[in-house]
Amino acid sequence: MSESSNNTQLTENKNLKSESLKDESRRKLLTGTAYATAGIGLACAVLPFIDSMNPSKDVAALASTEVDISNIKAGETKKVMWRGKPVSIRRRTAEEIKEAQEVNLSELRDPQQDSDRVKTGKEEWLVTIEICTHLGCIPISGQGEFKGWFCPCHGSQYDTSARIRKGPAPKNLEIPPYEFVSDTLIKIG
Ligand code: FES
């Protein structure tokens, strides 16, 4: 083969290589653009869905409820609904508080100090979810051997701190999360 023919062949090879590199970079650019477009599309499709999972303002408002306790006298219980559950706010008498505080923890099935079930300095207020921990009946407040709650379904009895004392229920009545907004207003939830 002549030298001129060799040079021509070399030039053609270089051109082919250059074209091939251009094709490769074009391919990469197109693939990158396709991925970016798909990513934006996915984000557009998913964002409204995620947004729909956030609670609406109505639902968020129901997540907590404020209760005026100014008109509850000692020995009385006010009942409210919170997240579909009955909640009782009992203003305990001095005698009820004393009884709750003097119980020996070794006598309790679900041992818990009364002080762990009320707010410090607000011992007269006991806030509980009124659902029996046995099978979910609604116990009656101010009733039973321990003067706390009595469940008519199977006879569970709770004391003045709503702790289980007798009957089949395994646990104390639950205390919901709550706080005092002021001396006369509590926020549950
Ligand atoms: S549901 Fe209350 S004792 Fe069974």
Side-chain angles (χ1 to χ4, degrees), residues 132-137 151 153-156 158 168-169:
C132 182
T133 59
H134 180 221
L135 292 174
C137 286
C151 182
C153 290
H154 313 96
S156 285
Y158 301 82

Side-chain angles (χ1 to χ4, degrees), residues 9-111:
Q9 184 67 46
L10 211 58
T11 308
E12 277 176 4
N13 283 347
K14 274 184 185 167
N15 285 343
L16 278 173
K17 200 171 176 185
S18 162
E19 277 305 312
S20 165
L21 283 172
K22 276 184 194 161
D23 281 351
E24 180 65 21
S25 67
R26 241 183 261 132
R27 205 166 23 250
K28 279 184 180 165
L29 181 66
L30 283 172
T31 308
T33 307
Y35 277 132
T37 307
I40 291 165
L42 185 65
C44 289
V46 166
L47 276 177
F49 176 67
I50 291 174
D51 194 45
S52 74
M53 291 168 74
N54 288 329
S56 68
K57 283 188 180 137
D58 293 355
V59 174
L62 286 176
S64 66
T65 184
E66 291 191 348
V67 185
D68 177 4
I69 56 171
S70 62
N71 54 0
I72 308 175
K73 297 188 182 76
E76 286 183 355
T77 303
K78 184 169 188 170
K79 295 166 194 274
V80 295
M81 292 300 286
W82 170 68
R83 293 185 178 178
K85 296 174 185 170
V87 172
S88 86
I89 302 143
R90 181 159 181 88
R91 187 168 192 168
R92 303 187 296 181
T93 61
E95 191 186 342
E96 287 173 340
I97 297 168
K98 188 164 177 280
E99 279 177 9
Q101 290 175 340
E102 287 179 349
V103 172
N104 189 335
L105 285 194
S106 64
E107 294 173 23
L108 299 176
R109 184 178 303 163
D110 181 13

Side-chain angles (χ1 to χ4, degrees), residues 92 97 101 114-115 118-126:
R92 303 187 296 181
I97 297 168
Q101 290 175 340
D114 182 64
S115 57
V118 294
K119 304 285 185 201
T120 307
K122 303 279 187 190
E123 287 78 6
E124 65 180 333
W125 297 103
L126 181 71

